[in-house]
Amino acid sequence: LPVLIAMIFGALVAVGAGMLAGYPALRRKGLFLGLTTLGLALIIDRFVFNARMFKGGPGGLTVERPNLFGLDLAGDRAFYFYELAVVALVLVLAHNLRSGRLGRVLAAMRDSETAAQSVGIGLRRAKLFVFGVSAGMAGLGGALLTQANQNWDTATFNPVFGLFWFVVVVVCGV
């Protein structure tokens, strides 16, 4: 149960970090939005993840797989079903967000930000919420990956790899 609490706490920290990183990126669009978030990722990697507390020695930090209500998830098969349940919960959450009021707000913002703002939609608040929710989902994914590997190393989440995929998307998009 402590590992689950740490996973939820990590997702909440990711929500806060996503909202904090999303604030300077609010006025950017398209390519510049991607460059802003990648720049923030490089800064965070350099000054936060390369700090001593995240190193954990030559092999990184060792992470245990959780015990869920007395059910040992150390085996690969049991952990697979645990991951499947977490992914299903996140997909249900995403579906509910998309089909609810927020989904209509996001559709209005996608179609025309000026029109959405004219009918009273707070663009800044909605965009920050989306940054936070997407960062929380990414944080949960990172926690699941870390638990699956039973190890966390700073080299696992290298922002240069994100830059690679950004360039791939931009080049293929052109």
Side-chain angles (χ1 to χ4, degrees), residues 7 19 27 40 42 66 80 86 98 100 111 117 140 161 173:
M7 189 170 99
M19 292 178 85
R27 293 191 177 141
L40 287 170
L42 287 169
Y80 168 76
V86 171
R98 187 172 179 191
D111 294 340
Q117 201 168 17
L140 275 176
F161 191 62

Side-chain angles (χ1 to χ4, degrees), residues 45 49-50 54 59-61 141-147 149-162:
D45 180 63
F49 290 140
N50 285 326
F54 287 110
L61 298 173
L144 287 175
L145 177 67
T146 300
Q147 289 174 356
N149 293 340
Q150 296 180 332
N151 185 359
W152 188 83
D153 190 12
T154 56
T156 304
F157 303 103
N158 192 345
V160 175
F161 191 62

Side-chain angles (χ1 to χ4, degrees), residues 1-17 66 68-69 82 86 89-90 132 135-144 147:
L1 200 59
V3 176
L4 284 175
I5 293 171
M7 189 170 99
I8 293 170
F9 178 72
L12 290 176
V13 168
V15 167
L68 188 61
F69 306 115
Y82 162 71
V86 171
L89 286 173
V90 169
M137 288 179 184
L140 275 176
L144 287 175
Q147 289 174 356

